[in-house]
Amino acid sequence: MLISQLFISKSRKIDFELSILFQDLANVPLVSGNYHIKWKIKYADLPSGSTPRAPITDHNVVWNQSTNTTVHLIVGKDNVLTPCELKLEIVQELNGGKDTHTIGTLMLNLSEYVGSGTTTRRYLLDECKFNSTLKLAIRLLQKSDNGIKFEVPPLKKQQIFADIPTMITERKDKGLVKDDSFIAGNVLTQSLTLFDELANL
């Protein structure tokens, strides 16, 4: 348990069983390397970890890897669950792991997913040059009941995308995608424009 939680009344701490399924990464304009997700969870018994490495195929990376742990959420003085951060970093490895690049990150507030059953969504990555999207399934089941009533913060929607088909397709002009280039010079303008339109909805 974190030191910051030692001074919080037990009546305001609620345990939840957290399950996360890391499904796939879509619309990646690269053709080489292995990819994995590094994760960190605040207030969790298992606070960090990583998925196995997976290759890229047709501009998509598939893991279908799950992790399970207990998280200790806190009820604030306003009776709303306080934030519990899930931080994700998607890493590309080249040359047998000698060269690594972070291609995007994502931060979610797990408290927003309480009481929603299994929530499956596709998220636009932050700090990503490609507008790639990550598909996750998240579930939190309450394990302890201290009798305290609490409210769940609203789920933020600006990061969420419909589970649309992969937009990046093979081009005859192979110059659009370079094998070992981390930053693609010209990345399917039409696909990026469509993503921008969806983000503004």
Side-chain angles (χ1 to χ4, degrees):
M1 181 179 296
L2 296 177
I3 295 178
S4 59
Q5 287 197 343
L6 294 177
F7 303 99
I8 298 174
S9 171
K10 289 184 178 180
S11 65
R12 291 194 170 273
K13 300 175 186 177
I14 304 177
D15 293 342
F16 289 84
E17 182 67 28
L18 169 66
S19 299
I20 304 174
L21 177 62
F22 303 98
Q23 293 183 259
D24 65 73
L25 181 68
N27 301 303
V28 185
L30 303 170
V31 295
S32 63
N34 288 314
Y35 299 76
H36 67 277
I37 303 173
K38 296 168 63 177
W39 49 264
K40 293 183 179 180
I41 306 172
K42 195 173 184 180
Y43 306 143
D45 287 350
L46 185 64
S48 62
S50 175
T51 66
R53 276 66 175 166
I56 187 169
T57 304
D58 295 331
H59 306 293
N60 292 274
V61 183
V62 178
W63 293 282
N64 283 328
Q65 179 73 24
S66 63
T67 187
N68 299 275
T69 187
T70 297
V71 292
H72 313 282
L73 302 188
I74 300 170
V75 180
K77 294 181 179 180
D78 56 358
N79 290 329
V80 177
L81 290 175
T82 60
C84 178
E85 295 176 347
L86 167 65
K87 297 180 180 180
L88 304 178
E89 178 185 359
I90 294 81
V91 180
Q92 178 199 40
E93 293 184 354
L94 297 170
N95 300 322
K98 295 180 180 179
D99 298 325
T100 61
H101 306 277
T102 297
I103 67 169
T105 62
L106 182 65
M107 183 180 297
L108 300 176
N109 177 10
L110 293 174
S111 295
E112 298 173 0
Y113 294 82
V114 170
S116 299
T118 300
T119 303
T120 302
R121 295 287 189 272
R122 188 172 289 282
Y123 301 88
L124 180 67
L125 294 182
D126 297 321
E127 303 178 79
C128 181
K129 298 181 183 296
F130 310 133
N131 283 352
S132 301
T133 60
L134 179 66
K135 188 175 182 181
L136 304 172
I138 299 173
R139 183 181 66 183
L140 285 123
L141 298 178
Q142 187 171 344
K143 295 178 61 178
S144 63
D145 185 359
N146 299 328
I148 186 173
K149 295 182 179 180
F150 61 86
E151 297 179 11
V152 177
L155 180 63
K156 293 183 177 63
K157 296 183 179 180
Q158 64 267 25
Q159 294 175 304
I160 299 174
F161 281 75
D163 190 11
I164 54 180
T166 300
M167 295 180 183
I168 295 179
T169 57
E170 292 288 350
R171 290 284 188 92
K172 292 182 180 180
D173 183 2
K174 296 299 183 180
L176 290 178
V177 180
K178 298 181 180 180
D179 286 356
D180 296 320
S181 175
F182 174 61
I183 301 176
N186 184 358
V187 185
L188 302 180
T189 303
Q190 293 181 349
S191 294
L192 299 187
T193 300
L194 181 54
F195 266 114
D196 290 338
E197 291 174 355
L198 289 173
N200 292 326
L201 291 179

